[in-house]
Amino acid sequence: MHMTRLTLVACAASLMLAACGGSDNAVAPAPAPAPAPAPAPAAAPPPAPVPEEKRAQDDRNSFVPLDAAATTFPAMAPDPNLTTDATDYNATSRWAGVLEGAAYRVEVPANWNGKLVMYAHGYAGEGNELAVGNPSIRRYLLQNGYAWAASSYSKNYYDVRVGVEDTNNLALNFNAIATANGRTLAAPSATYITGHSMGGHITAAAIEDEAYATANHKVKYSGAVPMCGVVGDTELFDYFAGAQAAAQGIAGVPKYPFTSWSEISAMVQANLFTTFTAASIAPTLNGARYASVLQNLTGGTRPMFDLGFGGGRTFQAAWGVFGGDGTINGILNKSSLDTARFTYTIDGDATGSAALNAAVLQLTPAADANRLRTDGLRWIPKANGDIHIPVVSIHTLGDLYVPFSMEQIYQKRVAAKGNSQWLVQRAIRGISHCDFTVAEQVEAFDDMIKWANGGPPPAGDDVVTPVTVANPNYGCQFTRNTMGTDDAGSSAALGFRAAAMSRPCTP
């Protein structure tokens, strides 16, 4: 028993390394070490990114700032009509320069309030000279302590993508520019954006979720005021195409090749108009039918349409871009034009409307003409309605170049995304493009600022209910016909507003 107990203890102590029950001196050999694992194969290098396709705009590199050597620009002249303005316009910091190919201007008042306003200018044509201008509400900004900055953009043409990038890039370089000029400033506590026409498109696009996700220069804006803006983005060019298709249809050449417009434009013009000059238009009987279609394409029955059509000088600009191939002069590689979504309506003529719709050319877009890209923004950035900051948008009723229907498209997109609480829109009783008084622009911007600072949303207009838009007094609520010193040279001051005032609002 004693020996058995010792044997069991020995077995436990040896943890089975000895052969229990056999010879006391037999020791089991140590197990062979496990083989080392084979090294993992080297990871394959990631595939090289597929380079994005190029377009005509990418090869246009001859753009030059109009005054590349400028380091400053003139101070704002005092307004002789303002006796209570204590602003010292000469005391503002005014810097000019060139940033990555784009000219810029920056102005900071001596009593800067810490906030920055970015201004986006409109379409500047297809020339090589790059020009930068001052915001129309410059006096208001300086009087209230705001700094502002504006870019020429580094390219012309309808290049909203470069407009967004260069405007954002300038905003991001605001402090570096100030420091380089001997004035150290804190980072802006808020940055806002506003712009006219194409600049309104830039404004609307820059504040979108998509732009913040895909832009190479990212800025979080705190509020926006697009004015006379292309807030329906590519649908503006659909409108031009639809207006051409309807003109051809009513003039009796509905199937003539779309891009061969120059071959028939004189004949169509003679069929539709007895007078077609830079200053005025007078329609034939067929032209009156066409005007009805045009009214419905551009926002429906509304005040100021007839005045805009006859004397606002904007439809002539639209007529001048007919016949395009849908690439927006090389901004795209493929056509984005879509007229299949239009129903052409001749008021009071159901039979004629049906015949027109059956006869007109139908254009459909290439599905990937304006797709998302891997190298930054879309070629034509979108105003999808994904907005989460206060936006106050203003638009004239008689504009037929960037028509009021842009606002209706924008409203529907914003509503579809559930963001209507961030959008206020206002109709202005002007008959031309960007035909605003400075007072109308200041009021819109000031109301946006109060809203962005925690106030309630300001009042606006219903832009989509037909019976509301057709009311003879529509647009009266936010039209301000009084013009001041800073209106000199504006559309409103060139006689257009006087024509609009021939249709006064009634109590």
Side-chain angles (χ1 to χ4, degrees), residues 48-118:
V50 177
E52 282 283 15
E53 63 185 302
K54 295 187 70 175
R55 57 192 171 144
Q57 181 71 346
D58 296 325
D59 291 325
R60 294 169 179 152
N61 298 310
S62 59
F63 302 103
V64 178
L66 185 60
D67 190 359
T71 59
T72 188
F73 53 98
M76 187 159 214
D79 187 340
N81 298 314
L82 297 177
T83 58
T84 59
D85 184 8
T87 307
D88 185 350
Y89 297 108
N90 289 308
T92 65
S93 300
R94 296 179 304 281
W95 307 308
V98 176
L99 177 65
E100 296 182 19
Y104 67 79
R105 287 182 177 183
V106 176
E107 186 166 24
V108 187
N111 61 335
W112 183 44
N113 65 11
K115 298 177 181 180
L116 173 64
V117 177
M118 303 304 299

Side-chain angles (χ1 to χ4, degrees), residues 250 268-275 281-291 309:
I250 291 176
V268 175
Q269 181 177 306
N271 183 277
L272 300 181
F273 309 106
T274 59
T275 301
I281 292 175
T284 63
L285 289 176
N286 251 1
R289 299 170 73 234
Y290 178 65
F309 181 61

Side-chain angles (χ1 to χ4, degrees), residues 258-333:
F258 190 81
T259 55
S260 299
W261 168 250
S262 62
E263 299 172 7
I264 59 169
S265 61
M267 182 273 290
V268 175
Q269 181 177 306
N271 183 277
L272 300 181
F273 309 106
T274 59
T275 301
F276 193 98
T277 69
S280 65
I281 292 175
T284 63
L285 289 176
N286 251 1
R289 299 170 73 234
Y290 178 65
S292 177
V293 171
L294 194 68
Q295 178 171 242
N296 290 311
L297 281 177
T298 57
T301 303
R302 62 195 187 277
M304 305 294 125
F305 168 79
D306 60 333
L307 296 177
F309 181 61
R313 305 191 184 191
T314 56
F315 180 64
Q316 292 91 324
W319 185 273
V321 301
F322 286 1
D325 64 2
T327 67
I328 325 303
N329 290 344
I331 296 298
L332 305 175
N333 280 338

Side-chain angles (χ1 to χ4, degrees), residues 161-187:
R161 169 172 157 140
V162 81
V164 172
E165 291 286 9
D166 289 345
T167 299
N168 285 1
N169 192 28
L170 180 58
L172 295 172
N173 278 276
F174 170 75
N175 287 92
I177 290 169
T179 300
N181 284 279
R183 187 171 175 185
T184 302
L185 300 172

